[in-house]
Coordinates of all heavy atoms in Angstrom, one line a residue:
M1 N 7.8 5.4 3.6 CA 7.5 6.8 3.8 C 7.0 7.5 2.5 O 6.0 8.2 2.5 CB 8.7 7.5 4.3 CG 8.6 9.0 4.5 SD 7.5 9.4 5.9 CE 7.7 11.1 6.0
T2 N 7.7 7.3 1.4 CA 7.3 7.9 0.1 C 6.0 7.4 -0.3 O 5.2 8.1 -0.8 CB 8.4 7.6 -0.9 OG1 9.7 8.1 -0.5 CG2 8.1 8.3 -2.3
F3 N 5.8 6.1 -0.2 CA 4.5 5.4 -0.6 C 3.4 6.0 0.2 O 2.3 6.3 -0.3 CB 4.6 3.9 -0.4 CG 3.3 3.2 -0.8 CD1 3.1 3.1 -2.2 CD2 2.4 2.7 0.1 CE1 1.9 2.5 -2.6 CE2 1.3 2.1 -0.3 CZ 1.0 2.0 -1.7
A4 N 3.5 6.3 1.5 CA 2.5 6.9 2.3 C 2.1 8.3 1.9 O 1.0 8.6 1.8 CB 2.9 6.9 3.8
I5 N 3.1 9.1 1.5 CA 2.9 10.4 1.0 C 2.1 10.4 -0.3 O 1.2 11.1 -0.5 CB 4.2 11.2 0.9 CG1 4.8 11.4 2.3 CG2 4.0 12.5 0.1 CD1 6.2 12.0 2.2
L6 N 2.6 9.5 -1.2 CA 1.9 9.4 -2.5 C 0.5 8.9 -2.4 O -0.4 9.3 -3.1 CB 2.7 8.5 -3.5 CG 4.1 9.2 -3.9 CD1 4.9 8.2 -4.8 CD2 3.8 10.4 -4.7
A7 N 0.3 7.9 -1.5 CA -1.1 7.4 -1.3 C -2.0 8.5 -0.7 O -3.1 8.6 -1.1 CB -1.0 6.2 -0.3
G8 N -1.4 9.4 0.1 CA -2.2 10.5 0.6 C -2.6 11.5 -0.5 O -3.6 12.1 -0.5
L9 N -1.6 11.7 -1.4 CA -1.9 12.6 -2.5 C -2.9 12.1 -3.5 O -3.7 12.8 -4.1 CB -0.6 12.9 -3.3 CG 0.4 13.8 -2.6 CD1 1.7 13.9 -3.4 CD2 -0.2 15.2 -2.4
V10 N -2.9 10.7 -3.7 CA -3.9 10.1 -4.5 C -5.3 10.2 -3.9 O -6.3 10.4 -4.5 CB -3.6 8.6 -4.8 CG1 -4.7 7.9 -5.5 CG2 -2.3 8.6 -5.6
A11 N -5.4 10.1 -2.5 CA -6.7 10.2 -1.9 C -7.2 11.6 -1.7 O -8.4 11.8 -1.4 CB -6.6 9.5 -0.5
L12 N -6.4 12.6 -1.8 CA -6.8 13.9 -1.6 C -7.9 14.4 -2.4 O -8.9 15.1 -1.9 CB -5.6 14.9 -1.7 CG -5.8 16.4 -1.5 CD1 -6.2 16.5 0.0 CD2 -4.6 17.2 -1.8
P13 N -8.0 14.1 -3.7 CA -9.1 14.6 -4.5 C -10.5 14.1 -4.0 O -11.5 14.7 -4.3 CB -8.8 14.1 -5.9 CG -7.4 14.0 -6.0 CD -7.0 13.5 -4.6
T14 N -10.5 13.0 -3.4 CA -11.8 12.5 -2.9 C -12.3 13.2 -1.7 O -13.5 13.1 -1.3 CB -11.7 11.0 -2.5 OG1 -10.7 10.8 -1.5 CG2 -11.3 10.1 -3.7
L15 N -11.4 14.0 -1.0 CA -11.8 14.7 0.2 C -12.4 16.1 -0.2 O -13.0 16.7 0.7 CB -10.6 14.9 1.1 CG -10.0 13.5 1.6 CD1 -8.8 13.8 2.4 CD2 -11.0 12.7 2.4
V16 N -12.1 16.6 -1.4 CA -12.5 18.0 -1.8 C -13.9 17.8 -2.4 O -14.1 17.0 -3.2 CB -11.5 18.6 -2.8 CG1 -12.0 19.9 -3.2 CG2 -10.1 18.6 -2.1
P17 N -14.8 18.7 -2.0 CA -16.2 18.6 -2.6 C -16.1 18.8 -4.1 O -15.3 19.7 -4.6 CB -16.9 19.8 -2.0 CG -16.1 20.2 -0.9 CD -14.7 19.7 -1.0
P18 N -16.9 18.1 -4.9 CA -16.8 18.2 -6.4 C -17.1 19.6 -6.9 O -16.5 20.0 -7.9 CB -17.9 17.2 -6.9 CG -18.1 16.3 -5.7 CD -17.8 17.1 -4.5
A19 N -18.0 20.4 -6.3 CA -18.3 21.7 -6.8 C -17.1 22.6 -6.7 O -16.9 23.5 -7.5 CB -19.4 22.3 -5.9
A20 N -16.2 22.4 -5.7 CA -15.0 23.2 -5.6 C -13.9 22.8 -6.6 O -13.0 23.6 -7.0 CB -14.4 23.1 -4.2
I21 N -13.9 21.5 -7.1 CA -12.9 21.1 -8.0 C -13.1 21.7 -9.4 O -12.2 22.2 -10.0 CB -12.9 19.5 -8.1 CG1 -12.5 18.9 -6.8 CG2 -12.0 19.1 -9.2 CD1 -12.6 17.5 -6.8
A22 N -14.3 21.6 -9.9 CA -14.5 22.1 -11.3 C -15.9 22.8 -11.4 O -16.9 22.2 -11.2 CB -14.5 20.9 -12.3
Q23 N -15.8 24.0 -11.7 CA -17.0 24.8 -11.9 C -17.1 25.1 -13.4 O -16.2 25.6 -14.0 CB -17.0 26.1 -11.1 CG -17.1 25.9 -9.6 CD -17.1 27.2 -8.9 OE1 -17.0 28.3 -9.5 NE2 -17.1 27.1 -7.6
S24 N -18.1 24.6 -14.0 CA -18.2 24.8 -15.5 C -18.5 26.2 -15.9 O -19.3 26.9 -15.4 CB -19.4 23.9 -16.0 OG -19.6 24.1 -17.3
R25 N -17.6 26.7 -16.8 CA -17.8 28.0 -17.4 C -18.4 27.8 -18.8 O -18.4 28.7 -19.6 CB -16.5 28.7 -17.5 CG -15.9 29.1 -16.1 CD -14.6 29.8 -16.3 NE -13.6 28.8 -16.3 CZ -12.3 29.1 -16.6 NH1 -11.9 30.3 -16.8 NH2 -11.4 28.1 -16.6
D26 N -19.0 26.7 -19.0 CA -19.5 26.4 -20.3 C -21.0 26.6 -20.3 O -21.8 25.7 -19.9 CB -19.2 24.9 -20.6 CG -19.1 24.7 -22.1 OD1 -19.2 25.6 -22.9 OD2 -18.8 23.5 -22.4
H27 N -21.5 27.8 -20.7 CA -22.9 28.0 -20.7 C -23.3 29.0 -21.9 O -22.4 29.6 -22.5 CB -23.4 28.6 -19.4 CG -22.8 29.9 -19.1 ND1 -21.6 30.1 -18.6 CD2 -23.3 31.2 -19.2 CE1 -21.3 31.4 -18.4 NE2 -22.4 32.1 -18.8
T28 N -24.6 29.1 -22.1 CA -25.0 29.9 -23.2 C -25.7 31.2 -22.7 O -26.4 31.1 -21.6 CB -26.1 29.1 -24.1 OG1 -25.4 27.9 -24.5 CG2 -26.5 29.9 -25.3
Y29 N -25.5 32.3 -23.3 CA -26.2 33.5 -22.9 C -26.8 34.2 -24.1 O -26.4 34.0 -25.2 CB -25.2 34.4 -22.1 CG -24.1 35.0 -23.0 CD1 -24.3 36.3 -23.5 CD2 -23.0 34.3 -23.3 CE1 -23.3 36.9 -24.3 CE2 -22.0 34.9 -24.1 CZ -22.1 36.1 -24.6 OH -21.2 36.7 -25.4
R30 N -27.7 35.1 -23.8 CA -28.3 35.9 -24.9 C -27.7 37.3 -25.0 O -27.7 38.0 -24.0 CB -29.8 36.0 -24.6 CG -30.6 36.5 -25.8 CD -32.1 36.4 -25.5 NE -32.8 36.9 -26.7 CZ -34.1 36.9 -26.8 NH1 -34.8 36.3 -25.8 NH2 -34.7 37.4 -27.8
G31 N -27.3 37.6 -26.2 CA -26.7 38.9 -26.4 C -27.7 40.0 -26.6 O -28.9 39.8 -26.7
R32 N -27.2 41.3 -26.8 CA -28.1 42.4 -27.0 C -28.9 42.3 -28.3 O -29.9 42.9 -28.4 CB -27.3 43.7 -26.9 CG -26.8 44.0 -25.5 CD -26.1 45.3 -25.6 NE -25.4 45.5 -24.3 CZ -25.1 46.7 -23.8 NH1 -25.5 47.8 -24.5 NH2 -24.6 46.8 -22.7
D33 N -28.3 41.6 -29.2 CA -28.9 41.5 -30.5 C -30.0 40.4 -30.6 O -30.6 40.2 -31.6 CB -27.9 41.3 -31.6 CG -27.0 40.1 -31.4 OD1 -27.2 39.4 -30.4 OD2 -26.2 39.8 -32.3
G34 N -30.2 39.7 -29.5 CA -31.2 38.7 -29.4 C -30.7 37.3 -29.8 O -31.4 36.3 -29.6
R35 N -29.4 37.2 -30.3 CA -28.9 35.9 -30.6 C -28.2 35.3 -29.4 O -27.9 35.9 -28.4 CB -27.8 36.1 -31.7 CG -28.4 36.6 -33.0 CD -27.4 36.9 -34.1 NE -26.0 36.3 -33.9 CZ -25.0 36.6 -34.7 NH1 -25.2 37.5 -35.7 NH2 -23.9 36.1 -34.5
Y36 N -28.1 33.9 -29.5 CA -27.5 33.2 -28.4 C -26.1 32.9 -28.7 O -25.7 32.6 -29.8 CB -28.3 31.9 -28.2 CG -29.6 32.1 -27.5 CD1 -30.8 32.2 -28.3 CD2 -29.7 32.2 -26.2 CE1 -32.0 32.4 -27.7 CE2 -31.0 32.4 -25.6 CZ -32.1 32.5 -26.3 OH -33.3 32.7 -25.7
Y37 N -25.2 33.1 -27.6 CA -23.8 32.9 -27.7 C -23.4 31.8 -26.7 O -24.0 31.7 -25.7 CB -23.0 34.2 -27.5 CG -23.3 35.2 -28.6 CD1 -24.4 36.1 -28.4 CD2 -22.6 35.2 -29.7 CE1 -24.6 37.1 -29.3 CE2 -22.9 36.2 -30.7 CZ -23.9 37.1 -30.5 OH -24.2 38.0 -31.5
R38 N -22.3 31.1 -27.0 CA -21.8 30.1 -26.1 C -20.4 30.5 -25.6 O -19.6 30.9 -26.3 CB -21.7 28.8 -26.9 CG -21.3 27.6 -26.2 CD -21.3 26.4 -27.0 NE -22.3 26.5 -28.1 CZ -22.5 25.6 -29.0 NH1 -21.7 24.6 -29.1 NH2 -23.4 25.8 -29.9
H39 N -20.3 30.3 -24.3 CA -18.9 30.4 -23.7 C -18.2 29.1 -23.9 O -18.8 28.0 -23.5 CB -19.0 30.7 -22.2 CG -19.3 32.1 -21.9 ND1 -18.4 33.1 -22.0 CD2 -20.5 32.7 -21.5 CE1 -19.0 34.2 -21.6 NE2 -20.2 34.0 -21.3
C40 N -17.1 29.1 -24.4 CA -16.3 27.8 -24.5 C -15.5 27.6 -23.3 O -15.1 28.5 -22.6 CB -15.4 27.9 -25.8 SG -16.4 28.1 -27.3
K41 N -15.2 26.3 -23.1 CA -14.4 25.9 -21.9 C -12.9 26.3 -22.1 O -12.3 25.9 -23.1 CB -14.6 24.4 -21.7 CG -14.0 23.9 -20.5 CD -14.3 22.4 -20.3 CE -13.8 21.9 -19.0 NZ -14.0 20.5 -18.9
K42 N -12.4 26.9 -21.1 CA -11.0 27.3 -21.1 C -10.3 26.6 -19.9 O -10.6 26.9 -18.8 CB -10.8 28.8 -21.0 CG -11.5 29.5 -22.1 CD -10.6 30.6 -22.7 CE -11.3 31.5 -23.6 NZ -11.7 30.9 -24.9
S43 N -9.5 25.6 -20.2 CA -8.8 24.8 -19.2 C -7.5 25.4 -18.8 O -6.7 25.8 -19.6 CB -8.7 23.4 -19.7 OG -7.9 22.6 -18.7
S44 N -7.2 25.4 -17.5 CA -5.9 25.8 -17.0 C -5.0 24.6 -17.0 O -3.8 24.7 -16.8 CB -6.0 26.4 -15.6 OG -6.5 25.4 -14.7
G45 N -5.5 23.4 -17.1 CA -4.7 22.2 -17.1 C -4.3 21.7 -15.7 O -3.5 20.8 -15.6
T46 N -4.9 22.2 -14.7 CA -4.6 21.9 -13.3 C -4.9 20.4 -13.0 O -4.0 19.7 -12.4 CB -5.3 22.8 -12.3 OG1 -5.0 24.1 -12.7 CG2 -4.9 22.5 -10.9
T47 N -6.0 19.9 -13.4 CA -6.4 18.6 -13.1 C -5.4 17.6 -13.8 O -5.0 16.6 -13.1 CB -7.8 18.3 -13.6 OG1 -8.7 19.2 -13.0 CG2 -8.3 16.9 -13.2
G48 N -5.1 17.8 -15.0 CA -4.2 17.0 -15.7 C -2.8 17.1 -15.1 O -2.1 16.0 -15.0
T49 N -2.4 18.2 -14.7 CA -1.1 18.4 -14.1 C -0.9 17.6 -12.8 O 0.0 16.9 -12.6 CB -0.8 19.9 -13.8 OG1 -0.9 20.6 -15.0 CG2 0.6 20.1 -13.2
V50 N -2.0 17.7 -11.9 CA -1.9 17.0 -10.6 C -2.0 15.5 -10.8 O -1.2 14.8 -10.3 CB -3.1 17.5 -9.7 CG1 -3.2 16.6 -8.5 CG2 -2.9 18.9 -9.3
A51 N -2.9 15.1 -11.7 CA -3.0 13.6 -11.9 C -1.8 13.1 -12.6 O -1.3 12.0 -12.2 CB -4.2 13.3 -12.8
G52 N -1.2 13.8 -13.5 CA 0.0 13.4 -14.2 C 1.2 13.3 -13.2 O 2.0 12.4 -13.3
A53 N 1.3 14.3 -12.3 CA 2.4 14.3 -11.4 C 2.3 13.1 -10.4 O 3.3 12.5 -10.1 CB 2.4 15.6 -10.6
V54 N 1.1 12.8 -9.9 CA 1.0 11.7 -9.0 C 1.3 10.4 -9.7 O 2.1 9.6 -9.2 CB -0.4 11.7 -8.4 CG1 -0.7 10.4 -7.6 CG2 -0.6 12.9 -7.5
G55 N 0.7 10.2 -10.9 CA 1.0 9.0 -11.6 C 2.4 8.9 -12.1 O 3.0 7.8 -11.9
G56 N 3.0 9.9 -12.6 CA 4.4 9.9 -12.9 C 5.3 9.7 -11.8 O 6.3 9.0 -11.9
G57 N 5.0 10.2 -10.6 CA 5.8 10.0 -9.4 C 5.8 8.5 -9.0 O 6.8 8.0 -8.6
L58 N 4.6 7.9 -9.1 CA 4.5 6.5 -8.7 C 5.3 5.6 -9.7 O 6.0 4.7 -9.3 CB 3.0 6.1 -8.7 CG 2.2 6.7 -7.5 CD1 0.7 6.3 -7.7 CD2 2.7 6.1 -6.2
I59 N 5.1 5.9 -11.0 CA 5.8 5.1 -12.0 C 7.3 5.4 -11.9 O 8.1 4.4 -12.0 CB 5.3 5.5 -13.4 CG1 3.9 4.9 -13.5 CG2 6.2 4.8 -14.5 CD1 3.2 5.4 -14.8
G60 N 7.7 6.6 -11.7 CA 9.2 6.9 -11.6 C 9.8 6.2 -10.3 O 10.9 5.8 -10.4
N61 N 9.0 6.2 -9.3 CA 9.5 5.5 -8.1 C 9.7 4.0 -8.3 O 10.6 3.4 -7.9 CB 8.6 5.8 -6.9 CG 9.2 5.3 -5.6 OD1 10.1 4.5 -5.6 ND2 8.6 5.7 -4.5
A62 N 8.7 3.4 -9.0 CA 8.7 2.0 -9.3 C 9.9 1.6 -10.3 O 10.5 0.6 -10.1 CB 7.4 1.5 -9.8
L63 N 10.1 2.5 -11.3 CA 11.1 2.2 -12.3 C 12.5 2.6 -11.9 O 13.4 1.8 -11.9 CB 10.7 2.8 -13.6 CG 9.5 2.3 -14.3 CD1 9.2 3.1 -15.6 CD2 9.6 0.8 -14.6
G64 N 12.6 3.8 -11.4 CA 13.9 4.4 -11.1 C 14.3 4.2 -9.6 O 15.5 4.1 -9.3
G65 N 13.3 4.2 -8.8 CA 13.5 4.0 -7.4 C 14.1 5.3 -6.8 O 14.7 6.1 -7.4
G66 N 13.9 5.4 -5.5 CA 14.5 6.6 -4.8 C 13.8 7.9 -5.1 O 12.9 8.0 -5.9
A67 N 14.4 8.9 -4.5 CA 13.8 10.2 -4.6 C 14.0 10.8 -6.0 O 13.2 11.5 -6.6 CB 14.5 11.2 -3.6
L68 N 15.2 10.5 -6.7 CA 15.4 11.1 -8.0 C 14.5 10.5 -9.0 O 13.9 11.3 -9.8 CB 16.9 10.8 -8.4 CG 17.3 11.5 -9.7 CD1 17.2 13.0 -9.6 CD2 18.8 11.0 -10.0
G69 N 14.2 9.3 -9.0 CA 13.2 8.7 -9.9 C 11.8 9.2 -9.7 O 11.1 9.4 -10.6
T70 N 11.5 9.4 -8.4 CA 10.1 9.9 -8.1 C 10.0 11.4 -8.6 O 8.9 11.7 -9.2 CB 9.9 9.9 -6.6 OG1 10.0 8.5 -6.1 CG2 8.5 10.4 -6.2
I71 N 11.0 12.2 -8.3 CA 10.9 13.6 -8.8 C 10.9 13.7 -10.3 O 10.1 14.5 -10.9 CB 12.1 14.4 -8.1 CG1 11.9 14.5 -6.6 CG2 12.2 15.8 -8.8 CD1 13.1 15.0 -5.9
A72 N 11.7 12.9 -11.0 CA 11.8 13.0 -12.4 C 10.5 12.5 -13.0 O 9.9 13.1 -14.0 CB 12.9 12.1 -12.9
G73 N 9.9 11.4 -12.5 CA 8.6 10.9 -12.9 C 7.5 11.9 -12.7 O 6.6 12.1 -13.6
A74 N 7.5 12.5 -11.5 CA 6.5 13.5 -11.2 C 6.6 14.7 -12.2 O 5.5 15.2 -12.7 CB 6.6 14.0 -9.8
G75 N 7.8 15.2 -12.5 CA 7.9 16.3 -13.4 C 7.5 16.0 -14.8 O 6.7 16.7 -15.4
G76 N 7.9 14.8 -15.3 CA 7.5 14.4 -16.6 C 6.0 14.1 -16.7 O 5.3 14.5 -17.7
G77 N 5.4 13.5 -15.7 CA 4.0 13.2 -15.6 C 3.2 14.5 -15.6 O 2.1 14.6 -16.2
A78 N 3.6 15.5 -14.8 CA 2.9 16.8 -14.7 C 2.9 17.5 -16.1 O 1.8 18.0 -16.5 CB 3.6 17.7 -13.7
L79 N 4.0 17.5 -16.8 CA 4.0 18.1 -18.1 C 3.1 17.4 -19.1 O 2.3 18.0 -19.8 CB 5.4 18.2 -18.7 CG 6.4 19.1 -17.9 CD1 7.8 18.9 -18.5 CD2 5.9 20.5 -18.1
L80 N 3.2 16.1 -19.1 CA 2.3 15.3 -20.0 C 0.9 15.4 -19.7 O 0.0 15.6 -20.5 CB 2.8 13.8 -20.0 CG 2.0 12.9 -20.9 CD1 2.1 13.3 -22.4 CD2 2.4 11.5 -20.7
G81 N 0.5 15.4 -18.4 CA -0.9 15.5 -17.9 C -1.4 16.8 -18.3 O -2.6 16.9 -18.7
R82 N -0.7 17.9 -18.1 CA -1.2 19.2 -18.5 C -1.5 19.3 -20.0 O -2.5 19.9 -20.4 CB -0.2 20.3 -18.1 CG -0.7 21.7 -18.3 CD 0.3 22.7 -17.8 NE -0.2 24.1 -17.8 CZ 0.0 24.9 -18.9 NH1 0.6 24.5 -19.9 NH2 -0.5 26.1 -18.8
H83 N -0.5 18.8 -20.8 CA -0.7 18.9 -22.2 C -1.9 18.1 -22.7 O -2.7 18.6 -23.5 CB 0.6 18.3 -22.9 CG 0.4 18.1 -24.4 ND1 0.4 19.2 -25.2 CD2 0.2 17.0 -25.1 CE1 0.3 18.7 -26.5 NE2 0.2 17.4 -26.4
L84 N -2.1 16.9 -22.1 CA -3.3 16.1 -22.5 C -4.6 16.7 -22.1 O -5.6 16.6 -22.8 CB -3.1 14.7 -21.9 CG -2.0 13.8 -22.5 CD1 -1.9 12.5 -21.8 CD2 -2.2 13.6 -24.0
D85 N -4.6 17.3 -20.9 CA -5.8 18.0 -20.4 C -6.2 19.1 -21.3 O -7.4 19.3 -21.7 CB -5.6 18.5 -19.0 CG -6.9 18.9 -18.3 OD1 -8.0 18.6 -18.8 OD2 -6.8 19.6 -17.2
K86 N -5.3 20.0 -21.7 CA -5.6 21.1 -22.6 C -6.0 20.6 -23.9 O -6.9 21.2 -24.6 CB -4.4 22.0 -22.6 CG -4.2 22.9 -21.4 CD -3.0 23.8 -21.6 CE -3.2 25.0 -20.7 NZ -4.2 26.0 -21.0
K87 N -5.3 19.6 -24.4 CA -5.7 19.0 -25.8 C -7.1 18.4 -25.8 O -7.8 18.6 -26.7 CB -4.6 18.0 -26.1 CG -4.6 17.6 -27.6 CD -3.4 16.8 -27.9 CE -3.4 16.5 -29.3 NZ -2.4 17.1 -30.1
H88 N -7.5 17.8 -24.7 CA -8.8 17.2 -24.6 C -9.9 18.3 -24.6 O -10.9 18.2 -25.3 CB -8.9 16.4 -23.3 CG -10.3 15.9 -23.0 ND1 -11.2 16.7 -22.3 CD2 -10.9 14.8 -23.4 CE1 -12.4 16.0 -22.2 NE2 -12.2 14.9 -22.9
D89 N -9.6 19.4 -23.9 CA -10.6 20.5 -23.9 C -10.7 21.2 -25.2 O -11.8 21.6 -25.7 CB -10.3 21.5 -22.8 CG -10.6 21.0 -21.4 OD1 -11.4 20.1 -21.3 OD2 -10.1 21.6 -20.4
A90 N -9.6 21.3 -25.9 CA -9.6 22.0 -27.2 C -10.4 21.1 -28.2 O -11.2 21.6 -29.0 CB -8.2 22.1 -27.8
A91 N -10.3 19.8 -28.2 CA -11.0 18.9 -29.0 C -12.5 18.9 -28.7 O -13.4 18.9 -29.5 CB -10.5 17.5 -28.9
Q92 N -12.8 19.0 -27.4 CA -14.2 19.1 -26.9 C -14.8 20.4 -27.4 O -16.0 20.4 -27.9 CB -14.3 19.0 -25.4 CG -15.6 18.9 -24.9 CD -15.6 18.7 -23.4 OE1 -14.6 19.1 -22.7 NE2 -16.6 18.1 -22.8
N93 N -14.1 21.5 -27.4 CA -14.6 22.8 -27.9 C -14.8 22.7 -29.4 O -15.8 23.3 -29.9 CB -13.6 23.9 -27.6 CG -13.7 24.3 -26.1 OD1 -14.7 24.1 -25.5 ND2 -12.7 25.0 -25.7
R94 N -14.0 22.1 -30.1 CA -14.2 21.9 -31.6 C -15.5 21.1 -31.9 O -16.2 21.5 -32.8 CB -13.0 21.2 -32.3 CG -11.8 22.2 -32.5 CD -10.8 21.5 -33.5 NE -10.3 20.2 -33.0 CZ -9.3 20.1 -32.1 NH1 -8.7 21.2 -31.6 NH2 -8.9 18.9 -31.8
R95 N -15.7 20.1 -31.1 CA -16.9 19.2 -31.3 C -18.2 20.0 -31.0 O -19.2 19.8 -31.5 CB -16.9 18.0 -30.5 CG -16.0 16.9 -31.0 CD -16.2 15.6 -30.3 NE -16.0 15.7 -28.9 CZ -14.8 15.5 -28.2 NH1 -13.8 15.3 -28.9 NH2 -14.8 15.6 -26.9
N96 N -18.1 21.0 -30.0 CA -19.2 21.8 -29.6 C -19.4 23.0 -30.5 O -20.3 23.8 -30.2 CB -19.1 22.2 -28.1 CG -19.2 21.0 -27.2 OD1 -19.8 20.0 -27.5 ND2 -18.6 21.1 -26.0
G97 N -18.6 23.2 -31.4 CA -18.7 24.4 -32.3 C -18.1 25.6 -31.8 O -18.5 26.7 -32.2
C98 N -17.2 25.6 -30.9 CA -16.5 26.7 -30.3 C -15.3 27.1 -31.1 O -14.6 26.3 -31.7 CB -16.2 26.5 -28.9 SG -17.6 26.3 -27.8

């Protein structure tokens, strides 16, 4: 039962249209002074949170077994995934000069 639910959660992102998943806010605009400015990417960490929770839940279930292992793994994976997602965007903004 748990495996079927987790498999459904893993397959869910493939069912959502890509445009609805991530809309880039990373673009350049021209200011009133004639200079060009860049909007930097600001991540909410949602993608990393979801991916981390699913992966952590699967690993927690495999290692700890049962509902408690799954819940603990999903919680830890969600926190780690969110942190890594935000850290990746911050590094990308530094490389782009933001």
Side-chain angles (χ1 to χ4, degrees):
M1 175 73 172
T2 304
F3 181 74
I5 292 171
L6 290 175
L9 289 174
V10 170
L12 182 63
T14 61
L15 302 174
V16 179
I21 292 175
Q23 293 181 0
S24 177
R25 290 182 271 175
D26 208 359
H27 65 279
T28 306
Y29 69 96
R30 188 170 181 176
R32 292 182 186 207
D33 58 359
R35 294 177 15 189
Y36 287 93
Y37 296 92
R38 185 180 325 177
H39 282 284
C40 295
K41 187 174 183 183
K42 303 225 189 290
S43 174
S44 65
T46 304
T47 304
T49 303
V50 171
V54 171
L58 290 172
I59 292 171
N61 190 346
L63 295 178
L68 186 59
T70 303
I71 292 169
L79 292 173
L80 179 63
R82 182 175 189 272
H83 172 73
L84 292 176
D85 190 17
K86 286 185 156 283
K87 194 166 182 112
H88 174 270
D89 286 343
Q92 191 175 22
N93 284 341
R94 278 193 306 276
R95 282 191 306 270
N96 291 335
C98 295

